[in-house]
Amino acid sequence: DGIRDRSPSRGLGDVYKRQVLMEIKTYLNPKWWLIVFGAVFFALGAGNYIGAEGASETAYPDPTDRDVFYEQTFGLFSMSLAAMAISTGLFVKGRGLSMLTMTASVAVIGFFVLHYNAGEVVDYGYNDPVLTAILSSLLAVMGVGGYLYLEDE
């Protein structure tokens, strides 16, 4: 008939929603969350390794050499996992980055919860429910960022 079919125009509300989503995605880019979390936890792990004697005095009422060793080992494990987070953020792209970000988010939240519960049994001096909740919430936000980037290349 000479009349072209037109797709319905998007209202300003749709445009605004898309702009807000794009802004949120900018802040939740999993690449940068992994790199920042990795850098912070690498520094904390190094501090735990270097200052293991002081850390064990804070963590336990009467620390032994085993407690110092535990704190050093915890620092080394933290540094190893942090290095993996940094390298993932730097070298993995697309859907793989999203999947690894979501997996890491769930795994580390699970670790925090289990570590906190185990620490309660032995009166571990570093147990802090508020800090555990804050870190777990930030990790959950990182996981949401991974989800938002699932379809990006």
Side-chain angles (χ1 to χ4, degrees):
D1 290 86
I3 301 174
R4 291 188 294 157
D5 291 331
R6 293 188 321 149
S7 60
S9 66
R10 295 182 182 229
L12 287 177
D14 289 339
V15 172
Y16 177 74
K17 286 177 196 172
R18 195 164 2 127
Q19 286 175 337
V20 169
L21 180 60
M22 292 305 294
E23 187 75 18
I24 289 171
K25 280 182 74 172
T26 300
Y27 291 111
L28 296 183
N29 186 328
K31 170 183 179 151
W32 297 113
W33 279 81
L34 285 167
I35 292 170
V36 170
F37 260 119
V40 168
F41 277 91
F42 193 91
L44 291 172
N48 218 58
Y49 178 79
I50 293 166
E53 197 161 314
S56 65
E57 289 171 2
T58 301
Y60 307 101
D62 293 315
T64 65
D65 288 342
R66 282 180 195 237
D67 299 326
V68 174
F69 170 75
Y70 169 79
E71 293 300 327
Q72 285 179 318
T73 304
F74 189 80
L76 290 172
F77 277 118
S78 297
M79 291 165 55
S80 299
L81 292 172
M84 283 191 270
I86 293 168
S87 61
T88 299
L90 290 172
F91 302 117
V92 179
K93 304 215 180 314
R95 188 171 178 86
L97 177 64
S98 292
M99 297 297 288
L100 286 169
T101 300
M102 291 185 299
T103 302
S105 175
V106 170
V108 178
I109 289 170
F111 168 80
F112 280 158
V113 170
L114 293 173
H115 187 271
Y116 178 84
N117 289 337
E120 284 297 291
V121 173
V122 296
D123 198 25
Y124 188 60
Y126 283 112
N127 263 15
D128 182 350
V130 173
L131 183 59
T132 301
I134 290 170
L135 288 173
S136 295
S137 297
L138 289 171
L139 285 161
V141 169
M142 181 179 84
V144 168
Y147 177 78
L148 290 175
Y149 275 80
L150 262 175
E151 302 306 320
D152 290 5
E153 289 301 320

